[in-house]
Amino acid sequence: MLRSQAILTNTRVTSDPLPRTIDAADDWPDLAARIDAAPEDAKVRGMFLSEGLRLAPKSVKSNVRTHYVPFSLYPVREYMQLLLQIARARYHSKPAASALLELGFGVYSQFASSIAGAAIFATVEQDFRRVCELSPKAYSVTLKPGGTEVVYAAPNDAVVKLRDVWVYPDIFHAGIWLGAMDACGVSGSIEVRRHSLSDVDFHMHWQQR
């Protein structure tokens, strides 16, 4: 279960890994409005846009750029727009936030299997605590700006701060971390405290399945 408290809206959202749904007030217009709030010079690696395209229905591919160089940097705004288009088309029966959460689920495994990801997470195996501890390295090579700070990481409990992460940190990145839990063979919960559109704190609890 993912439990999230969004400070800006003073609401609580909940999610279960299966089915992966999130009870959030954010609708498509709310999520789209965040795009213009992201800095124009914020960038993300092309590998993530390419992975998004792999999941995109033909109706989306016909209206967007169709090639990205994996380790080149592209505008975060473009990535956010692409995610919304894919989420809305691929998961049209889901609420907006749940659709966006779903897209995040496979990102960790995709990055961990890349050259850069393998270099960072090679020693992780199925140790989610190590994923938490190594997350600053992963974020530093994938986003500009953007990063994580590990407040602490215990065997079954961690607090990680995401800062200057504009790509829907309270929803999409929550999905990424849920996917990392799944890849490590653990079940758990994430409490998300949102301070701004780009700054959130994750308090995570997990146990081996």
Side-chain angles (χ1 to χ4, degrees), residues 78 112 139 183:
E78 182 175 347
Y139 274 74

Side-chain angles (χ1 to χ4, degrees), residues 28 31-36 38 49 60 63-64 68 75-89 100 103 166-168:
W28 297 111
L31 297 175
R34 295 198 197 186
I35 296 173
D36 287 341
L49 292 101
V60 173
N63 295 307
V64 298
Y68 296 93
V76 155
R77 289 185 178 185
E78 182 175 347
Y79 186 36
M80 294 171 73
Q81 181 64 49
L82 181 63
L83 287 175
L84 291 192
Q85 289 179 271
I86 296 168
R88 194 164 195 170
L100 194 56
L103 276 187
W166 288 92
V167 186
Y168 308 109

Side-chain angles (χ1 to χ4, degrees), residues 2 15 20-22 97-105 171 174-175 178:
L2 178 149
S15 169
R20 294 184 288 272
T21 60
I22 188 167
S98 296
L100 194 56
L101 181 82
E102 187 76 28
L103 276 187
F105 199 77
I171 302 173
L178 279 181

Side-chain angles (χ1 to χ4, degrees), residues 52-93:
L53 282 177
R54 186 184 69 81
L55 299 173
K58 290 182 179 178
S59 59
V60 173
K61 291 180 180 178
S62 62
N63 295 307
V64 298
R65 190 192 322 212
T66 56
H67 177 72
Y68 296 93
V69 179
F71 284 96
S72 292
L73 290 166
Y74 295 89
V76 155
R77 289 185 178 185
E78 182 175 347
Y79 186 36
M80 294 171 73
Q81 181 64 49
L82 181 63
L83 287 175
L84 291 192
Q85 289 179 271
I86 296 168
R88 194 164 195 170
R90 187 177 175 89
Y91 305 110
H92 54 84
S93 63

